Amino acid sequence: SLIIILAGLLSGMLAVFLILLLNALNNTFKSTDEIEMATNLPVLGVVPLIVKKPNQHISQMYHKATDKIFSEAIKTIRTGVTLSAIEKPHKIIVVTSSIPGEGKTSLSVNLSDALRENEKVLLIEADMRRPNIARSFGLPPGTPGLANLIAGTATQEEAIQSLYGGIDTMVAGVVPPNPLELLSTEKFKRTLQELSVEYDRIIIDSP
């Protein structure tokens, strides 16, 4: 009996020790408050994890209103973006992620669709290493886009496509061997300045 009692006590202590150790080693964020405290930046919203189904286009979920929770999350982010700078709105917004496959392109497209309801919006695909907006929306290979515009092989009218619902979109275009150098040029900076005059908001889907 004594051995059983001691074994039970030791097992309980070991379980508590392992739980405390795992909590100490777990450095992930568990709430938006922890993110704001660590980064000193506001959280505009939280998008629910979507398990992609066959033939499902997550980039079109807001437009088709197939998931109310997802649509409300996008609207919350839209409101946060709009209210974050009322006096001097952020005209150019860059969407990025910590690792590939987190859904930044889906967020960029859906957010552009939501903002388009009240503003004139342009979506720019600047992720030239893994471009997929053109493929997602069935545009033919070689569709002119950002790279062509900066290189001077396409005009602004040729580089901007109107996707479903009327979203003005500039896809990556013909991907160059040196995309970083292309985006670091003065021509890219001037292009954004010119587009900022024509559009209320520019969403950039970045690497």
Side-chain angles (χ1 to χ4, degrees):
S1 300
L2 182 60
I3 293 175
I4 294 174
I5 293 173
L6 290 174
L9 289 174
L10 289 174
S11 299
M13 293 173 62
L14 180 62
V16 171
F17 173 75
L18 288 175
I19 291 173
L20 294 175
L21 179 63
L22 290 174
N23 284 333
L25 295 176
N26 186 0
N27 61 351
T28 59
F29 294 116
K30 302 176 187 64
S31 67
T32 56
D33 292 336
E34 290 184 6
I35 297 174
E36 292 181 335
M37 290 179 61
T39 63
N40 197 29
L41 295 170
V43 175
L44 299 180
V46 179
V47 180
L49 178 65
I50 303 295
V51 180
K52 188 176 181 181
K53 301 175 183 177
N55 300 322
Q56 182 187 33
H57 298 286
I58 299 179
S59 298
Q60 303 177 23
M61 286 184 65
Y62 180 85
H63 183 73
K64 295 182 177 180
T66 55
D67 189 314
K68 290 185 178 181
I69 297 178
F70 180 85
S71 298
E72 286 301 320
I74 296 297
K75 287 181 180 179
T76 299
I77 296 176
R78 178 186 65 183
T79 302
V81 169
T82 304
L83 297 180
S84 62
I86 298 178
E87 297 295 330
K88 190 178 180 182
H90 303 300
K91 297 207 70 172
I92 301 176
I93 300 172
V94 178
V95 179
T96 186
S97 63
S98 58
I99 58 174
E102 279 190 322
K104 60 180 177 54
T105 298
S106 298
L107 176 62
S108 300
V109 178
N110 284 287
L111 180 59
S112 299
D113 196 14
L115 288 167
R116 182 187 57 83
E117 296 176 351
N118 304 315
E119 304 172 342
K120 188 176 182 181
V121 180
L122 173 65
L123 171 64
I124 298 179
E125 182 179 33
D127 187 355
M128 296 189 179
R129 296 193 185 277
R130 294 186 177 184
N132 55 24
I133 291 182
R135 184 177 64 255
S136 299
F137 289 96
L139 297 178
T143 299
L146 177 61
N148 304 87
L149 179 62
I150 298 176
T153 58
T155 63
Q156 180 175 314
E157 290 74 19
E158 294 171 335
I160 297 178
Q161 315 294 326
S162 183
L163 300 183
Y164 73 96
I167 301 178
D168 284 355
T169 305
M170 187 183 296
V171 297
V174 180
V175 180
N178 53 344
L180 182 60
E181 293 181 14
L182 192 68
L183 296 176
S184 302
T185 61
E186 190 68 24
K187 179 70 178 296
F188 178 58
K189 181 179 179 181
R190 290 199 306 269
T191 299
L192 288 180
Q193 291 174 344
E194 294 170 0
L195 291 170
S196 297
V197 176
E198 184 176 348
Y199 289 91
D200 300 319
R201 198 88 62 171
I202 297 175
I203 307 295
I204 301 179
D205 176 32
S206 74

